[in-house]
Amino acid sequence: MEDTLLEILGAFEVPVIRQGSLAPEAPYPETFFTFWNRSEEEQTAYDNEDAAFVVHEFDVNVYSTNPATVYSLLKNARDALKKAGWETPDRGHDIASDEITHTGRGLTCVYLETITE
């Protein structure tokens, strides 16, 4: 699912970085996404067989020097995720930034993968 998430976010033509992986000496891009895989939980079928579903949960964050870009880019990313079958339980929330020049906003997205074996 991570590849699918990266493909969706990559379509916006801004860097997509795993949360916390930007090198300490690297400058922040003007605008960028970060993501973090919160969990991948198996959901078993009622008959106690192998997992029938996997719930993939990610945090997706946008940082930018332009606060308006943070809001519009996150909304557009949310729309693209929903169109691709992802659930977005929240519409967005503030995210702290390590750089005074950048504002951050994030959302949680979830994908329910059906296991077909």
Side-chain angles (χ1 to χ4, degrees):
M1 276 308 111
E2 186 174 301
D3 289 343
T4 302
L5 178 67
L6 293 173
E7 183 178 320
I8 293 166
L9 298 178
F12 291 96
E13 298 182 356
V14 298
V16 181
I17 304 165
R18 183 178 299 278
Q19 188 73 34
S21 69
L22 189 64
E25 66 281 354
Y28 271 36
E30 184 175 322
T31 299
F32 62 100
F33 283 108
T34 66
F35 70 97
W36 186 256
N37 183 205
R38 296 181 111 199
S39 68
E40 292 182 12
E41 295 181 11
E42 290 186 344
Q43 304 294 315
T44 56
Y46 291 108
D47 57 6
N48 288 328
E49 295 295 322
D50 290 335
F53 302 98
V54 177
V55 180
H56 300 270
E57 185 175 357
F58 287 86
D59 289 328
V60 172
N61 305 311
V62 175
Y63 296 91
S64 182
T65 57
N66 182 339
T69 299
V70 169
Y71 281 85
S72 64
L73 187 55
L74 190 64
K75 181 198 176 306
N76 292 340
R78 182 175 183 259
D79 291 346
L81 287 162
K82 289 177 75 150
K83 185 176 179 182
W86 292 69
E87 297 294 325
T88 56
D90 70 274
R91 295 175 61 92
H93 50 267
D94 289 341
I95 296 291
S97 174
D98 294 335
E99 295 291 329
I100 191 122
T101 55
H102 285 68
T103 302
R105 190 148 174 87
L107 60 78
T108 301
C109 60
V110 178
Y111 191 85
L112 181 62
E113 177 186 15
T114 304
I115 305 294
T116 54
E117 295 181 4

